[in-house]
Amino acid sequence: MAEDGYLADPHVSVGLVAGDGGVALWPLLTSLLRVKEYLFTGDRIPAATAVELGLANRVVPTADLMHEALALAHRLAAQPAEALRATKAALAAVVEQVARGGMEAALLAERSTMTSPDHIRIIDELASRAHRRPPAPEED
């Protein structure tokens, strides 16, 4: 993860249930108390904190991000393909089984909040603010 990057799940902040990943997957990776804080507030998680919480593997200088990502990709591509593919599938099956119940409930709840008065109001406010912004200066 780039040192200036961050993670965030602002669903609740815009009147939605955090239904498409954070609620089902983050508790598998880090403390439920920390998950609740970040999902309930929508606060940004800085890169170093994301690593500390187990939500990212490492932080690299922003300028080195592509180089580091490609180096890891090449290293993985050099592994025996079938063993790597089957290991990925096995891990995905574990995550799917553990997250299935929570994910289904969260997605249903998120869908219902998409038409809630709070969500509609917040989206209208955000759209109104976006339309009031002065245009960006033109570049030569």
Side-chain angles (χ1 to χ4, degrees):
M1 189 169 176
E3 63 191 353
D4 62 352
Y6 64 88
L7 301 175
D9 190 331
H11 278 82
V12 172
S13 300
V14 297
L16 294 173
V17 170
D20 57 357
V23 76
L25 298 177
W26 284 7
L28 301 176
L29 304 172
T30 194
S31 153
L32 184 59
L33 292 174
R34 296 297 292 269
V35 170
K36 286 180 178 181
E37 178 180 343
Y38 285 113
L39 289 179
F40 294 172
T41 64
D43 288 349
R44 291 179 175 185
I45 305 170
T49 304
V51 170
E52 174 191 321
L53 295 175
L55 301 175
N57 288 345
R58 67 180 76 67
V59 176
V60 299
T62 303
D64 297 341
L65 182 63
M66 186 59 72
H67 172 76
E68 293 288 333
L70 288 172
L72 179 57
H74 289 291
R75 185 173 174 201
L76 294 175
Q79 294 286 63
E82 184 57 34
L84 183 61
R85 187 178 307 111
T87 300
K88 287 171 60 177
L91 289 169
V94 169
V95 169
E96 180 182 346
Q97 183 158 356
V98 171
R100 182 176 292 132
M103 182 70 88
E104 288 176 19
L107 286 171
L108 286 171
E110 180 181 25
R111 184 174 184 201
S112 72
T113 56
M114 287 181 180
T115 57
S116 72
D118 282 334
H119 177 62
I120 292 167
R121 176 185 50 78
I122 292 166
I123 295 304
D124 287 346
E125 289 171 2
L126 291 171
S128 177
R129 273 191 260 157
H131 291 299
R132 286 191 301 234
R133 278 196 196 134
E138 293 184 25
E139 293 184 25
D140 294 329

